[in-house]
Structure formats: structure tokens, C-alpha cells
Amino acid sequence: MAQNYNDTIHKMATPFEMRAGLPKKEPKMLEDWENNHVYEKMIELNESRGYPKFVVHDGPPYANGSIHMGTALNKIIKDIIIREKNMSGYCAPYVPGYDTHGLPIELKALGSLGDNKAGVSKLELRRICREFATEHIDVMNSQFKRLGVQGDFENPYLTLRPEFEARQVEIFGEMAKKGYIYKGMKAVYWCPEDRTALAEAEIEYAEDECDSIYVRFKLTKDPNGVLAKYGVPLEKAWIVIWTTTTWTLPANVATCLNPGLEYAFVKIGDAYHIMAAGLVEATMKACHIEDYEVLEPRVLGSEFELMEYQHPFLDRKGLVILGDHVTLEGGTGCVHTAPGHGVEDFEVCVNHYPQLPIVVPVDDGGYLTEEAGKEFAGLKVWDANKVILAHIRESGHLMGVQHITHQYPHCWRCHHPIIFRATEQWFCSIDKFREEVYQAIDDVKWQPAWGHDRMRGMVHDRSDWCISRQRVWGVPIPVFYCKKCGKYHITDASIKAVSDLFRREGSDAWYQYDANEIMPKTEVCECGASDWEKDPDIMDVWFDSGSTWSAVCRERPELSWPADLYMEGADQFRGWFQSSLLTSVATQGIAPYKGVLCHGWVVDEQGKQMHKSAGNGVEPSEIIRDYGADIVRLWVASSDYTVDVRAGKNIFKQLSEAYRKMRNTARFMLGNIGDFDPAVNMVAEDQLYEIDRWALKACRKLTAAVRAAYDEYDFSRAYHAIYNFCVIDMSNFYMDVIKDRLYCADDHARRCAQTALYRILVDFTKLIAPILCFTSQEIWSYIPKLPGMQEYVVWEQLPEVQADQDEAFDAKWAKIIAVRDDVKKVLEQARADKTIGSSLEAAVTLYCNDALYGFLNEIPMDELADLMIVSHVNLVRGEGGATGAVEGLGIRVDHAAGNKCLRCWKFDPAVGEDGLCPRCAKVLA
């Protein structure tokens, strides 16, 4: 009976399991990290090493519920950066933050009051708001930590804290002192549902249906004699406007023409209609008018200035005015102008026609007032559209109507359509420091690079920032008004009084005390009075978050300013990136960040937006439950997050397969160094087999590639380098080749392979640590430690990039691998032809030209056979066999001669009666 040699083989042995079981293991690891203060000790260790700081400043998410895939993407990107920096010679603390003021929380609080909300005081409402704002923070903290995110979650920054609010007031005061803050009337975005002004960053666009109408106004006065000059009777002259907001007609006070465009008199019946010559055909088609005549000559718009017309249903005269904003892109070239409800309308009237009134016949809830006409008063603007349309149709002023779908601005919080409404608001005048902002933008490193032009373009298109809101839950506008003359009063002393008060008692104090109790007694108005009242509005929440560079980065000693990096979604170019830039440049003259990195949206597997109603959403908790947080982290790392990132169950299933290959690579290494003591068994590199040196060099190349990718925040490049290393360099080649040496060879040969595996595993584990934080620590816990190695991998430093430019060595091994690849293909065919079973049953004959023969003949035949994982290799000079990709190479496969060694399974004619080949007999002797 044949002897069993299984017990003489070195088998893989490791407690590191093939099945990851991450959903169960990760919570235990988190508990260990928390109990042993792993994050805090990492920061202390890096501080003690004297490492410079690297600050990734956290843009505060809204504290309003559970995290979603977009939040997970954001926080994991930051965490990968933080972990990598702490392992790359920096001390990189992470202070998470939360945005805790704003309308959603206030509406939630009001909703909880039911029918009692009418009588609730501002202080009581703010108390309820505070409870709602803070109830989700612990939940979100635990969800972020479950993703493996490390940071100071015990002490996050909150925008509602007194010290934060005090610093915010100081920033407001500094901007006011420089003349950048002013109060004035202007047409601003207004949400009728929430009854407050909005900033541009709070607007989103969506498809809306509406009526596109063409309306004619009857001309009543021609002060320049233009009509008479061209033979047009005044009593039969009309001017034609176009609008998609029928409800704004009650606010019409003017019609604007471009002074440089040509206009035509279009005769329809016996009436004459003025419109841009270039838009006559389109207008007539839209109005379904076929019988018309375009009169000559054409007239420049400038000639019509100051003509008057009768409003179609109100006792009001309108004025024909001029403006360069009028184009031929659509409409009639005669722009309906309602300065109470349009930005350009407001600006052209205020700046050039001060005689025109600013009519705002809409209240803060979006209802028309009596100023719009008694028959329309009390109608919601959207309901008024049809009623007004019917009225002007009946009166003969309507020329045509089309029902269209167009992009219209909506409130990003309640998602209802908004209106423009001229009201008195507080503004930051960007015009006054725009050039300084441009310079600051130029000084920032933007990733992707298009961020520079995007931010510059947004600043270019913005003249003012509306910073006041007509709500309760936020930081009050710290301004006092003189009761006698009504002027507002902002001084260093008044700002300091409010800031000191908020720092002591919080911003609730604004509502607890009378204005005269807050204002210093030394403050006197220009009129000589000193009796005050407080501004009723609060600051835009973007002013809150835009103050974090000062209220957090400059306040907390572990951080620094300017921050090294701001990293958020691409929508923050109009939000946090911009508000932070404006407040910092306005007060300090520089940007609050050295670099800005942005990511895209998370979409479903087909690239569509995720919606619960569509059933295409996926939650982080689902993926963590099924696969573990490391798979979510791998999803982030494998994605090009600078564009929209796809997420779905099929994607995570594929990633789990990729993860399995990486895990099994590590498991193979751990399983084969179980009896390896690096302090005793390590072999010097110059004593290793050449293939072991090749493997170490492949690992050094991996280190260079991954670290370069980390430096550029290109995690997908790092992921692909790691994955390819595991699959191509290790599993498909190196680990496949060395199995025989690990299991069956003598001690020196085996220790050489173990040395390479050990060194590779140490570096590999460090390189994946920023991405796979749980798996890397699990691997690290099983690696035999040399003196000086840390207990936790995050306390280590990433392997250094080493110069390794031995091109001849690289070329040699590239050629060997190419030969091996050709041999593998012929072996597969031989297996298919039943010539052999396993590759160890094969004897391979290599037919070579002179150059290739000389190259391969320098390699010992037993090593060449091991490289091919066959029993024998014969070299023959000349042609023959099957050809492949390597020039001058032919390959023939035969069944190997001799008997199968019962221990290593190689075939050898010299296998003895004990069933062993000479090599195995020597090892066991």
C-alpha cells in the first residue's frame, strides 16, 4: 500500500477566514477601536512624531435624519484621505460638523405644534427647533462610524453652539464695517410656501407647465412723435409683450426694448403692433395669425423710449424703456417689465428710470393683494394665471397663447415653485470685493481643474448675496434700528455687545432681552436718539456654514486655517464652497482653503436619479447588512467620483467578488507564513530566488502607483492597481509558481518564499488600509510583528516609494512571463485533447531561435519547469511545435515520463520505490 506523505507537506494554516463575515466582525472591531481610543492615539502619535498638520475641513451635513448613499460617498472619501494622510507623514485630525439651523427644522417644529403653532412664542419655537436639530446627531454619528469613518465624534462642531454663533456675528460685523453689508429693496428669490427670501444656492430647477402668452398694450402717448413720423395713428397703435408668468401682469409698469435692435410695425386688420422685426414671423406663428403686413421702414428701439401705454386692466400708465438685456432669443423683443417681480426688471428701472414705481401686488404667502385688482385679490399666484388670462382674452388684449413645459426655479427644501419678489433685505455686495475673490480663486488648487472656471463663473454672475431670512430658527441679524429716525445702526461696539452676549447665553438671548438692554448705553444714533429696536430677521444658513473656517478652524487648536482641503459635492460651488470663500475673502483677504475637491451625485445602475417612489434607491444600511462597510468603502474607492457614481445591488455583488480576490490573496500569504518568525527566519534580499526578488519589485511598483494615486485623490486608480496586483502579479503568477516551494521544498527555499510573502503582505496591508479599514486591521492582527511595529495598522506609515530602475531585470522577467503565457495556452489545449490532466503531468519542449535559446538556457531547467508548473522542460534549438505571441518560440506538450511523486505530484523517471522523487527524498532525509 502506497505511503501517505500528506503530513510531511507544509499546508496553509491561518485563522484568517476565507469568508469575510464583515457584517458581524466590523461592529466588534469598532468597539475595540473605541475602547482603545485608536483615533485619539493615532493623532497623539503623529503629533509626537512632529508631523505637520493636514486639515480636511468637514462641510456640515444637515442634521435631519439617517444618512444616504450620497452622504456615505462623501464621508468615506474624506476618511480615505484622512487615513492616508495620517499614514503619510502628516497629523490629520478630523472634526465632523453639523448644520443645525434652517427652515426644514423650523417647519418640522411648527408641524409638531399642530393647531397651537399660531400662539407659540419665538423662544418656545426655537426651543423645539433645538430639540429637533440635535436629536439626529447621535444617530448620524453612529452611522458614520459604522462606515469606518474615524474622527472626533465625541466633540463635533454644531452651528447652534454659542461660541459658533458669536464668531458668526463677528464676521458679519467685520463685513459691515468694510461696507460689504447693506440693506435695500431688491427683487429676490422668494418661497411663498415657506414665506422667506432664498439665496441662489437654495434654488433647484424642475420641469413646469405654464401658458406662454402674447399680450398687446394700447399706446396712449408718443412724446417723440415716432408714430406720426412713420404714419401710424396713435389711437390704433399697440405694443406686444410676451410672458410665461401671467400672474405678474398686475405688477407691470414698463415695456423694455433694446435700443440697438430693429423694430417693425405689424399691421393686423386696421391696428398697428410694435415688435422686434426679427421675431415677427415666430410671433405670428405662435399667435396663429396668418393675415398680417410688416410695414417699412424698420425703426431702432431707441426711438420708442418714453412712449406711454395703458395697463390692460388697471388704472395705470406704463412706460416704454430701453435695456441691453433684451434679445432676440424669444418672445417679441418687447419685454414685459415688472420690477417688483424680476431681477433684470428691477435693476433697469431702479438704475435708469427712477420715476417708475416698484409695484409688488403679492404678499409673503404668494397671494395677490388688492393692488393687483379687486377681481384678483386673494388668489394664489398660480391660481391667478388662468383668471387673469380669461380676463385679458375677454378684453381683447390677448393675441395668442401656447401651453408649454419649461425649466422653472423651485425651492430646494419644499420643492415648490418660487417667485421673484422685491422686498427689503440684507445683502452682501460681492461687486465691492469681486477682484479679490478672483485672486483668491486663482490661488486655490481645484480638483477637478474645471472647478476653477466654474467658481469664477459663478462669482462673475453674482452681484449680491441675499443674507436675510424671514424666519426664526437661525442666527439673528445683529442690527439695531433707531426708533426715532428708523436708521439701522452697526458699530464695533454694537457687534461686540451682541457677540459677547451670544457667547455667554446663545442667540436665544436676542429674543429674551429688549434692544436697549443689549445695546451699550454709550451708543447714540446720528439723530441723537438712543432708543432702539432689533432687526426681526435671521441670517441665511449659508452664512452659518460659510463661517466655519473661522468658528471652527480658527477656534479649535487641533485644526488650522486656511484648511488644506474642502471636499464636498459639486453642488457646493454655489453653496458652501462659495459662501466660505466670500466670507473669508471679505474679512481676511484670502480663501479659507488651499485646495477644493468635489464629487458627483450617486445615481442608480442605469444612471438615473434615485427616488424612493421609483424603487431604485439603495441604502448604506442595506449594503452593510448584506456585505459589510468595507464593501461600501470599496465601492467609493473603485468609482470615478468626480462624475456621477452608480450604485446598485448588481454593482455591490460584483465588488464583493473583487473583494474576495483581494482577501484570498492576503489569506494565501497569511496561511503560508504561519510558522515564519521574521526576526529569525527572514532571508536577505540578495539571497532570495530571483522570482522572489521580482515579486518584491512588483510590490514596490504597486507602492509607487498607489501612493501617487493617493496623492491625487484618485482612489479608483489605487483600487485598480491593488486589484491587478492581487490577480495578475500574485494569484495568476507568483503565488501559483511558489506553491510547490512553500509546500514541498527544503527549508531555505521555503524561507525565501516566506520572506517575500511576509514583506509583500506587510506593505500590501498598509496600502489597502485607507480604503479597507476593517479588513486591513483584521489582516494586520494576524501578521507576525517585528520590534517597532504598531498594534493597529493606522498607527503605521505607508511604505516608502523606492527608486528601482533595473530595466534589464524588468525586461528579462517580462520575457519570461510572455513565454509562460504562451506555454499556458498550449497546456490548456493539451488538457482539452486529453494528452494531460493537470499541468504537472506535462513535459514541455520549447523550440527556440538562437536568441531565445540563449536567453532561456541561462535559467536552470528545474526552475523553468517550476515557472511553467510542469514536470519537465526541454530546450531545442530550431523550429517546431505550436507558435504563440513570443517571436522565435514553438511549444510542444507531451505526457511527462516517469512516475508521479506521491508527495509533490511531479513526474520523474527517478521516483523510487518509496514513491518519492529525489528532491522530496532529500527533504525528508
Side-chain angles (χ1 to χ4, degrees):
M1 189 169 110
Q3 187 171 344
N4 188 338
Y5 292 104
N6 281 344
D7 292 342
T8 71
I9 294 171
H10 298 282
K11 299 183 184 70
M12 271 187 59
T14 177
F16 184 75
E17 297 168 324
M18 181 182 294
R19 291 183 62 85
L22 294 175
K24 291 184 178 180
K25 289 178 183 174
E26 288 172 346
K28 295 176 182 177
M29 297 175 78
L30 285 171
E31 185 179 359
D32 173 72
W33 296 352
E34 198 152 322
N35 291 340
N36 289 297
H37 307 288
V38 171
Y39 165 77
E40 292 80 5
K41 290 179 181 178
M42 175 188 71
I43 297 301
E44 290 172 7
L45 184 62
N46 288 341
E47 283 178 342
S48 69
R49 290 165 172 167
Y51 291 164
K53 285 183 182 178
F54 189 94
V55 175
V56 178
H57 182 37
D58 191 33
Y62 213 60
N64 63 345
S66 294
I67 66 173
H68 49 73
M69 290 306 294
T71 333
L73 174 75
N74 177 282
K75 283 293 192 257
I76 290 171
I77 292 172
K78 290 173 185 171
D79 189 63
I80 293 173
I81 295 171
I82 292 290
R83 287 175 178 274
E84 187 271 332
K85 291 300 179 186
N86 276 299
M87 296 180 73
S88 298
Y90 291 96
C91 180
Y94 177 61
V95 177
Y98 292 95
D99 206 346
T100 49
H101 287 137
L103 189 58
I105 291 172
E106 185 172 335
L107 294 177
K108 196 172 181 181
L110 285 168
S112 72
L113 292 168
D115 296 335
N116 299 320
K117 59 186 175 185
V120 70
S121 69
K122 288 185 176 181
L123 273 172
E124 177 63 13
L125 178 58
R126 285 173 64 89
R127 182 191 66 77
I128 299 169
C129 285
R130 182 175 290 100
E131 291 177 359
F132 276 114
T134 54
E135 70 177 358
H136 290 294
I137 291 173
D138 287 344
V139 173
M140 293 176 75
N141 273 346
S142 65
Q143 290 174 338
F144 290 140
K145 287 191 283 187
R146 182 63 188 88
L147 290 169
V149 178
Q150 58 178 1
D152 190 1
F153 285 99
E154 296 302 310
N155 300 289
Y157 77 83
L158 309 178
T159 57
L160 58 68
R161 284 187 173 152
E163 63 273 16
F164 189 106
E165 296 173 327
R167 181 68 85 165
Q168 185 175 330
V169 166
E170 290 165 6
I171 292 173
F172 178 95
E174 185 64 24
M175 293 172 70
K177 184 178 180 180
K178 291 185 175 183
Y180 300 153
I181 302 287
Y182 72 95
K183 188 171 189 179
M185 175 174 272
K186 192 172 181 179
V188 297
Y189 294 111
W190 186 273
C191 179
E193 299 301 318
D194 297 328
R195 297 175 182 257
T196 186
L198 300 173
E200 186 178 357
E202 297 168 305
I203 299 302
E204 62 184 15
Y205 283 82
E207 296 276 307
D208 263 9
E209 294 184 8
C210 72
D211 288 324
S212 164
I213 64 171
Y214 294 82
V215 185
R216 62 180 189 166
F217 297 158
K218 181 69 183 68
L219 292 170
T220 58
K221 192 173 182 180
D222 180 17
N224 302 322
V226 180
L227 299 179
K229 178 180 176 182
Y230 296 105
V232 176
L234 176 62
E235 66 273 12
K236 294 184 178 181
W238 303 76
I239 192 164
V240 183
I241 64 96
W242 166 84
T243 183
T244 58
T245 52
T246 308
W247 63 267
T248 61
L249 285 175
N252 177 275
V253 298
T255 297
C256 195
L257 280 59
N258 188 307
L261 290 180
E262 290 185 336
Y263 288 79
F265 294 106
V266 181
K267 191 174 182 183
I268 306 170
D270 65 350
Y272 299 81
H273 298 78
I274 299 169
M275 63 189 76
L279 292 168
V280 171
E281 185 179 349
T283 299
M284 294 300 101
K285 185 176 180 181
C287 296
H288 304 290
I289 297 173
E290 297 180 358
D291 189 9
Y292 64 92
E293 180 184 359
V294 182
L295 304 181
E296 296 292 346
R298 309 298 168 86
V299 184
L300 286 177
S302 56
E303 294 195 45
F304 296 101
E305 188 177 23
L306 301 182
M307 293 176 77
E308 289 185 6
Y309 59 87
Q310 177 60 46
H311 192 281
F313 52 81
L314 293 174
D315 185 16
R316 180 191 305 149
K317 292 293 192 295
L319 204 62
V320 177
I321 63 175
L322 304 176
D324 292 332
H325 64 285
V326 180
T327 69
L328 296 176
E329 289 182 8
T332 66
C334 306
V335 174
H336 153 57
T337 301
H341 296 294
V343 175
E344 289 176 326
D345 301 17
F346 183 90
E347 289 176 352
V348 72
C349 291
V350 169
N351 295 333
H352 302 291
Y353 299 94
Q355 69 270 40
L356 289 171
I358 308 298
V359 179
V360 188
V362 178
D363 68 15
D364 62 355
Y367 294 93
L368 294 179
T369 65
E370 290 205 359
E371 197 173 8
K374 287 186 178 180
E375 61 266 54
F376 309 126
L379 291 173
K380 193 85 170 183
V381 290
W382 320 119
D383 299 326
N385 285 329
K386 290 183 179 179
V387 181
I388 294 173
L389 179 62
H391 183 90
I392 59 176
R393 177 182 278 119
E394 185 177 343
S395 67
H397 291 86
L398 182 68
M399 285 186 64
V401 60
Q402 290 180 308
H403 197 69
I404 64 170
T405 299
H406 68 159
Q407 289 281 308
Y408 190 81
H410 289 63
C411 172
W412 77 331
R413 291 193 174 90
C414 70
H415 305 298
H416 286 93
I418 59 95
I419 63 175
F420 283 94
R421 184 167 178 262
T423 58
E424 273 209 321
Q425 300 290 339
W426 285 96
F427 296 94
C428 165
S429 175
I430 298 169
D431 283 337
K432 291 190 175 182
F433 59 100
R434 190 187 310 279
E435 292 304 318
E436 290 91 332
V437 177
Y438 286 158
Q439 181 58 54
I441 292 170
D442 290 344
D443 293 338
V444 172
K445 182 178 180 181
W446 301 90
Q447 290 178 264
W450 52 254
H452 173 277
D453 291 345
R454 184 168 186 182
M455 181 61 81
R456 188 179 176 93
M458 287 191 165
V459 171
H460 177 271
D461 294 340
R462 193 176 192 184
S463 58
D464 292 292
W465 169 16
C466 179
I467 60 172
S468 51
R469 296 292 180 273
Q470 290 63 54
R471 305 302 305 191
V472 173
W473 181 235
V475 178
I477 299 281
V479 174
F480 299 88
Y481 297 88
C482 174
K483 284 186 178 180
K484 181 179 178 182
C485 69
K487 288 184 179 179
Y488 65 78
H489 190 83
I490 308 174
T491 65
D492 288 348
S494 70
I495 290 294
K496 185 177 187 305
V498 177
S499 175
D500 288 349
L501 175 65
F502 285 8
R503 187 170 270 108
R504 289 194 309 271
E505 302 182 35
S507 60
D508 278 359
W510 187 256
Y511 303 94
Q512 290 172 333
Y513 298 103
D514 182 77
N516 292 319
E517 295 178 274
I518 301 173
M519 181 70 98
K521 303 301 181 187
T522 54
E523 290 296 291
V524 179
C525 179
E526 293 175 3
C527 71
S530 57
D531 191 11
W532 310 100
E533 60 183 353
K534 298 169 291 188
D535 192 283
D537 292 346
I538 62 170
M539 290 192 223
D540 175 15
V541 289
W542 290 111
F543 204 104
D544 289 28
S545 58
S547 303
T548 59
W549 58 266
S550 179
V552 180
C553 292
R554 299 181 80 185
E555 286 282 311
R556 295 187 67 146
E558 70 269 35
L559 303 180
S560 60
W561 177 85
D564 291 281
L565 189 68
Y566 273 35
M567 202 296 302
E568 297 298 331
D571 58 327
Q572 295 307 315
F573 280 94
R574 64 174 186 165
W576 188 55
F577 293 159
Q578 188 176 154
S579 64
S580 300
L581 178 69
L582 295 176
T583 56
S584 180
V585 172
T587 59
Q588 306 300 315
I590 62 172
Y593 37 67
K594 299 174 186 176
V596 169
L597 178 67
C598 74
H599 63 78
W601 299 98
V602 176
V603 294
D604 73 5
E605 290 176 318
Q606 282 71 47
K608 298 177 182 178
Q609 285 190 341
M610 289 186 177
H611 293 289
K612 287 183 180 178
S613 58
N616 65 344
V618 60
E619 297 297 329
S621 57
E622 296 177 48
I623 309 305
I624 291 171
R625 179 197 65 209
D626 294 342
Y627 297 104
D630 260 358
I631 304 302
V632 184
R633 296 177 68 94
L634 195 62
W635 163 71
V636 172
S638 67
S639 305
D640 177 4
Y641 60 78
T642 62
V643 295
D644 288 349
V645 179
R646 299 192 179 204
K649 293 184 178 178
N650 290 325
I651 289 172
F652 285 104
K653 185 176 181 181
Q654 292 166 10
L655 280 169
S656 69
E657 286 300 306
Y659 169 84
R660 184 178 59 80
K661 290 178 181 179
M662 290 187 274
R663 182 179 182 87
N664 284 345
T665 300
R667 185 172 183 274
F668 178 91
M669 296 187 209
L670 282 171
N672 284 290
I673 61 170
D675 63 340
F676 181 79
D677 182 346
V680 175
N681 305 128
M682 193 88 78
V683 179
E685 185 162 341
D686 61 357
Q687 300 298 309
L688 297 177
Y689 282 50
E690 193 168 313
I691 191 175
D692 298 329
R693 297 202 300 276
W694 174 89
L696 289 173
K697 187 166 187 180
C699 187
R700 287 195 287 270
K701 288 180 180 178
L702 174 69
T703 296
V706 170
R707 294 210 59 174
Y710 279 149
D711 285 345
E712 294 297 318
Y713 310 126
D714 189 349
F715 308 137
S716 65
R717 187 151 53 96
Y719 159 77
H720 286 295
I722 291 166
Y723 179 81
N724 289 338
F725 175 78
C726 289
V727 174
I728 299 171
D729 293 342
M730 294 292 104
S731 296
N732 291 355
F733 179 52
Y734 179 66
M735 295 193 310
D736 204 20
V737 169
I738 65 170
K739 284 177 183 175
D740 176 74
R741 191 150 43 107
L742 287 168
Y743 302 160
C744 301
D746 61 42
D747 189 66
H748 174 73
R750 187 162 174 271
R751 294 305 188 194
C752 285
Q754 286 182 312
T755 296
L757 288 179
Y758 177 82
R759 289 175 56 183
I760 290 167
L761 182 60
V762 168
D763 286 359
F764 172 80
T765 308
K766 293 178 182 178
L767 290 171
I768 66 170
I771 297 171
L772 300 175
C773 62
F774 294 102
T775 302
S776 61
Q777 181 55 40
E778 185 186 2
I779 296 168
W780 191 256
S781 68
Y782 294 120
I783 294 177
K785 304 293 191 296
L786 283 167
M789 290 174 69
Q790 302 291 335
E791 181 181 359
Y792 294 93
V793 69
V794 289
W795 294 352
E796 291 283 340
Q797 292 294 289
L798 292 177
E800 294 293 333
V801 175
Q802 299 177 33
D804 201 345
Q805 300 296 325
D806 190 343
E807 294 180 3
F809 185 89
D810 291 344
K812 174 183 177 180
W813 277 92
K815 196 167 187 176
I816 290 172
I817 292 170
V819 170
R820 182 178 186 269
D821 289 342
D822 276 357
V823 169
K824 283 174 68 178
K825 292 174 185 175
V826 180
L827 286 170
E828 283 300 316
Q829 186 58 49
R831 189 177 289 113
D833 294 341
K834 309 295 185 184
T835 303
I836 60 171
S838 74
S839 63
L840 285 176
E841 293 181 18
V844 174
T845 302
L846 302 179
Y847 297 90
C848 310
N849 62 19
D850 290 345
L852 188 59
Y853 184 91
F855 172 77
L856 294 176
N857 199 39
E858 292 183 358
I859 304 171
M861 288 304 105
D862 58 341
E863 289 187 24
L864 202 54
D866 286 342
L867 283 168
M868 310 302 174
I869 315 180
V870 297
S871 289
H872 299 285
V873 171
N874 299 310
L875 290 185
V876 175
R877 197 189 300 268
E879 296 182 358
T883 58
V886 177
E887 186 177 350
L889 175 66
I891 303 159
R892 193 184 80 218
V893 173
D894 299 297
H895 196 286
N899 295 316
K900 179 179 179 180
C901 174
L902 298 180
R903 183 168 179 269
C904 69
W905 294 8
K906 289 182 180 180
F907 281 76
D908 194 319
V911 169
E913 292 183 3
D914 56 2
L916 296 175
C917 66
R919 190 271 308 262
C920 287
K922 183 179 179 182
V923 169
L924 296 183

